[in-house]
């Protein structure tokens, strides 16, 4: 009965984070700074908009007052621990009554924001509370009363909170871009999915993500990590805007998916021919009556594994190399097990993690199957170790030549990046930069 129920209720994929990031208070300040021009455009459009009938607040008479300028003097964001964010906007207006000197006006907006996860899995920034105040910058009591009367006609205080909601449209669009499907190879993609709303603390805003991988549009069920991943504690003195963390399981899942996509089925050229090889392995000569080039065809016999240690990243490959001749009818006469450990070099370009194979740290060859008799391990290494060590890193580098997209917002890039390899995870502290097309 239990087995039957298991068939009727298919196993749901395990939801566990394998990467994430922390937006630091400095990063939050940068986002506030680059948001000022956008906020000014939105507020200017709304505050200076004239209705077709040139009426304000439903009045049946044309207004004798008008707003001549709108400037966002300050915009800031701060974390409310365990709750969300506080947004502060200081707006300077100039209101020109008919036949009078323009009057300076100050609008202060305070809004509490929180982040929810929608039913589609996307994060959404919402307003919890909004408190706008409008003040005429006049020192005389009579002028102040007159100014208040004018302000009541030209500034709709309640509408300012609707303007705050409009300001959130752009950041919400950016939050949606976080979960976009990114290409890795032509038939392999990855997607970062938030597991819950972010956590707000004095340290910043922490978000845990789970990476899903697809091959030809189908989700690949990657092995479950034996060790749950959680965001590491960060130094309070960090000067970075954002600190990304990627677990060892993330990298292993990436290579597991590439294996499933067939990206590591490789053909390795060799300088050997059947005639030269027959001088070392005599039975090869009886298989071929003409001299043919030797070809090595390699494929993974078990899943690759990434190992992260302090200051070092390595990829372990477990290959079966079939050695044979003939084109297009390749026929193998020898199979070799090749266990290769390659050092990985990690860097970041724009918002992509670049992964290159720095050096082969270790390689072992052993006989797996043979149609030409027993071949000693020492002879296998003499004949085939060099092409395997030369060509396997080049093949791997070509597969990931475009890099791997990191979690990012579409209109921002990463600068001042540092990649630090720790035991079980990689930290990527960086600064944010608004792309020039959006400045």
């Amino acid at each position: 009965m239990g087995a039957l129920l298991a068939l009727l209720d298919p196993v749901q994929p395990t939801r566990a984070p394998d990467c994430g990031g922390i937006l630091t208070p400095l990063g939050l300040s940068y986002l506030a700074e680059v948001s000022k021009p956008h906020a000014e455009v939105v507020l200017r459009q709304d505050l200076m908009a004239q209705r077709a009938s040139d009426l304000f607040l439903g009045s049946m008479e044309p207004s004798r007052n008008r707003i001549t300028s709108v400037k966002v003097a300050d915009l800031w964001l701060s974390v409310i621990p365990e709750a969300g964010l506080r947004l502060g906007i200081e707006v300077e207006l100039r209101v020109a009554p008919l036949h009078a000197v323009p009057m300076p006006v100050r609008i202060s907006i305070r809004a509490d924001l929180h982040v929810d996860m929608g039913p589609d899995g996307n994060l959404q920034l919402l307003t919890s509370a909004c408190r706008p105040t409008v003040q005429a910058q006049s020192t005389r009591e009579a002028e102040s009363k007159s100014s208040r009367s004018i302000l009541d006609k030209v500034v709709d205080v309640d509408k300012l909170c609707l303007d705050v909601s409009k300001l959130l449209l752009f950041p919400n669009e950016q939050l949606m871009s976080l979960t976009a499907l990114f290409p890795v190879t032509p038939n392999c993609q990855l997607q970062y999915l938030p597991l819950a709303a972010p956590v707000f603390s004095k340290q910043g805003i922490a978000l845990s993500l789970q990476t899903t991988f697809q091959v030809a549009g189908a989700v690949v069920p990657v092995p479950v990590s034996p060790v749950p991943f959680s965001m590491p504690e960060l130094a309070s003195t960090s000067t970075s805007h954002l600190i990304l963390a990627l677990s060892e399981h993330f990298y292993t899942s990436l290579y597991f998916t590439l294996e499933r996509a067939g990206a590591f089925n490789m053909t390795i050229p060799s300088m050997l021919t059947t005639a030269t090889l027959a001088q070392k392995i005599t039975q090869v000569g009886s298989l071929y009556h003409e001299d043919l080039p030797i070809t090595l065809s390699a494929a993974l016999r078990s899943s690759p594994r990434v190992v992260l240690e302090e200051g070092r990243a390595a990829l372990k490959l477990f290959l079966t190399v079939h050695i044979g001749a003939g084109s297009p009818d390749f026929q193998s006469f020898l199979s070799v097990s090749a266990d290769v450990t390659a050092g990985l070099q990690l860097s970041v370009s724009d918002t992509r993690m670049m992964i290159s194979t720095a050096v082969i740290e270790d390689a072992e060859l052993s006989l797996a199957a043979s149609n030409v008799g027993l071949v000693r391990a020492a002879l296998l290494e003499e004949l085939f170790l060099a092409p395997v060590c030369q060509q396997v890193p080049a093949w791997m580098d070509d597969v990931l030549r475009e890099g791997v997209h990191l979690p990012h917002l579409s209109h921002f890039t990463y600068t001042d990046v540092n990649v630090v390899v720790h035991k079980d995870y990689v930290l990527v502290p960086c600064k944010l930069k608004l792309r020039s097309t959006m400045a």
Side-chain angles (χ1 to χ4, degrees):
M1 180 64 74
L4 179 60
L5 290 173
L7 290 173
L8 293 174
D9 185 17
V11 176
Q12 297 298 317
T14 304
R15 290 176 60 81
D18 57 12
C19 61
I22 295 181
L23 181 69
T24 67
L26 281 177
L28 197 60
S29 296
Y30 175 76
L31 292 180
E33 177 189 337
V34 298
S35 297
K36 281 175 63 176
H38 174 64
E40 193 166 288
V41 169
V42 171
L43 290 168
R44 183 182 294 119
Q45 286 175 345
D46 277 8
L47 289 169
M48 297 182 68
Q50 298 281 338
R51 292 165 117 185
S53 57
D54 191 29
L55 299 180
F56 285 87
L57 304 178
S59 171
M60 299 305 295
E61 294 182 2
S63 172
R64 296 161 108 23
N65 311 297
R66 59 191 179 90
I67 297 173
T68 59
S69 70
V70 177
K71 179 184 177 182
V72 173
D74 192 19
L75 189 151
W76 51 265
L77 288 164
S78 61
V79 172
I80 307 173
E82 301 181 10
L85 298 171
R86 179 153 293 152
L87 168 67
I89 308 175
E90 299 294 328
V91 187
E92 293 177 353
L93 307 182
R94 295 194 76 79
V95 178
L98 194 63
H99 309 306
V101 177
M103 173 183 61
V105 176
R106 186 101 174 176
I107 297 177
S108 297
I109 302 172
R110 300 291 179 268
D112 292 344
L113 312 176
H114 68 280
V115 178
D116 280 349
M117 179 178 286
D120 57 355
N122 283 309
L123 299 175
Q124 191 173 16
L125 191 61
L126 302 169
T127 307
S128 307
C130 179
R131 299 172 295 279
T133 57
V134 181
Q135 182 179 3
Q137 296 178 304
S138 175
T139 55
R140 296 181 182 179
E141 185 178 350
E143 288 182 0
S144 180
K145 289 181 179 180
S146 174
S147 299
R148 170 54 59 187
S149 175
I150 293 171
L151 289 179
D152 289 343
K153 294 178 181 179
V154 299
V155 178
D156 187 346
V157 174
D158 296 332
K159 193 173 179 293
L160 290 173
C161 290
L162 293 178
D163 291 333
V164 171
S165 298
K166 289 182 181 180
L167 293 179
L168 302 185
L169 293 177
F170 177 70
N172 281 326
E173 175 190 309
Q174 290 299 289
L175 287 174
M176 286 184 66
S177 73
L178 180 66
T179 59
L181 200 60
F182 298 114
V184 180
T185 65
N187 69 334
C188 177
Q189 301 85 31
L190 64 78
Q191 184 178 28
Y192 298 103
L193 299 176
L195 295 180
V199 176
F200 295 85
S201 69
K202 291 181 179 179
Q203 201 176 34
I205 306 170
L207 180 63
S208 295
L209 300 167
Q210 181 186 46
T211 314
T212 62
F213 295 90
Q214 296 184 15
V215 173
V219 174
V220 176
V222 298
V224 177
S225 173
V227 180
F229 176 71
S230 58
M231 289 296 297
E233 291 291 326
L234 304 178
S236 58
T237 56
S238 173
T239 58
S240 300
H241 292 163
L242 177 70
I243 301 174
L244 297 172
L246 303 132
S247 69
E248 184 177 273
H249 183 63
F250 166 84
Y251 289 98
T252 294
S253 298
L254 170 66
Y255 282 96
F256 176 88
T257 303
L258 292 171
E259 174 210 354
R260 290 295 185 269
F264 299 144
N265 297 334
M266 57 192 91
T267 299
I268 301 174
S270 168
M271 299 297 292
L272 295 170
T273 67
T274 53
T276 56
L277 189 57
Q279 297 173 12
K280 299 286 187 178
I281 306 173
T282 55
Q283 292 188 38
V284 172
S286 63
L287 295 178
Y288 299 94
H289 302 295
E290 57 180 321
D291 195 15
L292 298 173
I294 294 294
T295 301
L296 283 62
S297 176
L300 290 169
R301 70 176 189 273
S302 62
S303 298
R305 187 163 67 90
V306 173
V307 177
L308 300 178
E309 299 173 349
E310 290 296 325
R312 173 180 173 268
L315 172 65
K316 292 184 177 292
L317 297 171
F318 310 98
L319 300 163
T320 297
V321 182
H322 301 287
I323 299 150
S327 177
D329 299 322
F330 175 79
Q331 290 185 333
S332 169
F333 54 81
L334 193 63
S335 295
V336 175
S337 295
D339 294 349
V340 178
T341 301
L344 295 179
Q345 196 166 35
L346 308 178
S347 60
V348 172
S349 174
D350 193 4
T351 56
R352 301 183 189 213
M353 171 73 72
M354 310 306 293
I355 306 173
S356 60
T357 308
V359 65
I360 297 295
E361 297 178 350
D362 186 41
E364 293 182 5
L365 303 185
S366 59
L367 185 64
S370 174
N371 293 334
V372 290
L374 182 65
V375 183
R376 293 176 294 106
L379 182 57
L380 291 175
E381 292 190 358
E382 177 189 334
L383 294 170
F384 307 117
L385 185 60
V388 167
C389 288
Q390 290 169 6
Q391 296 300 319
V392 168
W395 187 284
M396 308 291 280
D397 289 351
D398 186 62
V399 168
L400 289 175
R401 63 186 179 279
E402 298 297 329
V404 178
H405 286 271
L406 292 167
H408 68 280
L409 305 177
S410 62
H411 288 313
F412 290 85
T413 186
Y414 297 146
T415 64
D416 299 339
V417 183
N418 190 21
V419 179
V420 186
V421 181
H422 294 284
K423 181 173 173 52
D424 301 330
Y425 65 93
V426 173
L427 279 187
V428 185
C430 58
K431 290 187 177 178
L432 298 169
K433 183 179 181 182
L434 186 67
R435 295 188 187 277
S436 57
T437 54
M438 292 302 300

